[in-house]
Amino acid sequence: MAKQIIKPYFSNWANMEKLVPTEQKSKYLAFRSRYETYLRRVRSLPESPPKIDWERYKKLLPDENIVNKMKSSYEAFQVPFPEDTQTRLIEEQWTNLEPEIKAFCEDIQKDIDEAQKELARIKTLPNFSDMTMEMFGDSYPDLALDSVNKPTFWPHTPQDQLGYKITEAELYSQDDK
């Protein structure tokens, strides 16, 4: 009976182990050990309960009705096995989440592609030690200092320039300090 009830739920431990973060390995190995111990213990049990020799008991006991009652009660007894109501719900959740996961993966893949393009562009730039201010200005026009069109005062931060006005957010952040 035990072999009919239990089936190995986890079959591909190698793939599962790849998904486990390194800081969780000890918990994963403990879980796997407990699971395999439980599975071995259940599989070691016989498939059906042992047969009872009712005739032998009838001979040993003075009243056969006691044995007949016990036999009918024993045969009528059914071990209640819980009905699985959660697997269906989990599968429904999974089918609802799959499109979201695919959309998320596509968005992330777009970000990865953009990052790889940026890395390829950065690799084409000369080394930092070989780059001049003019080269930097050509590569990053929005970040480079333009002393002809937009001259600035040292240290070239917005707060140190003429005509700078403090915003409310900066004003409140200065009060906290």
Side-chain angles (χ1 to χ4, degrees):
M1 183 149 153
K3 291 183 182 176
Q4 294 172 354
I5 292 173
I6 191 163
K7 63 179 180 178
Y9 190 73
F10 303 108
S11 58
N12 199 342
W13 289 103
N15 284 347
M16 189 182 297
E17 190 166 353
K18 291 176 189 174
L19 301 174
V20 175
T22 53
E23 63 271 3
Q24 297 285 324
K25 285 283 190 210
S26 61
K27 291 180 181 179
Y28 163 76
L29 293 174
F31 165 72
R32 182 176 175 180
S33 172
R34 280 190 217 125
Y35 173 81
E36 288 175 351
T37 302
Y38 174 73
L39 189 63
R40 274 193 302 275
R41 197 170 11 157
V42 169
R43 284 187 171 169
S44 70
L45 299 173
E47 202 166 312
S48 58
K51 301 292 180 198
I52 298 175
D53 185 9
W54 297 107
E55 296 302 319
R56 181 172 163 242
Y57 283 111
K58 285 181 184 178
K59 291 178 188 173
L60 293 174
L61 295 173
D63 189 9
E64 278 188 24
N65 291 334
I66 295 174
V67 176
N68 290 335
K69 266 187 183 178
M70 288 177 62
K71 182 179 178 182
S72 63
S73 297
Y74 180 79
E75 290 173 352
F77 179 73
Q78 292 290 324
V79 176
F81 191 72
E83 184 180 333
D84 182 13
T85 58
Q86 299 302 311
T87 302
R88 181 183 51 79
L89 297 174
I90 292 169
E91 288 172 356
E92 285 176 13
Q93 282 181 334
W94 181 250
T95 54
N96 293 339
L97 281 176
E98 275 183 321
E100 292 178 31
I101 293 170
K102 287 180 182 176
F104 177 77
C105 289
E106 289 171 2
D107 289 343
I108 293 299
Q109 190 59 45
K110 288 177 187 173
D111 293 343
I112 290 170
D113 293 340
E114 288 176 20
Q116 286 176 340
K117 286 179 188 175
E118 181 64 17
L119 278 175
R121 188 188 70 76
I122 290 172
K123 286 181 182 178
T124 62
L125 295 175
N127 288 337
F128 179 73
S129 59
D130 298 336
M131 188 179 285
T132 64
M133 289 299 284
E134 290 81 15
M135 294 169 102
F136 181 80
D138 292 340
S139 299
Y140 301 99
D142 55 327
L143 298 176
L145 297 175
D146 186 4
S147 60
V148 176
N149 297 325
K150 295 187 287 179
T152 57
F153 295 104
W154 187 88
H156 308 289
T157 59
Q159 296 89 345
D160 296 318
Q161 305 310 310
L162 293 175
Y164 178 77
K165 294 181 182 175
I166 295 178
T167 62
E168 282 188 43
E170 290 175 329
L171 186 61
Y172 291 127
S173 68
Q174 288 178 356
D175 290 342
D176 293 338
K177 291 181 184 177

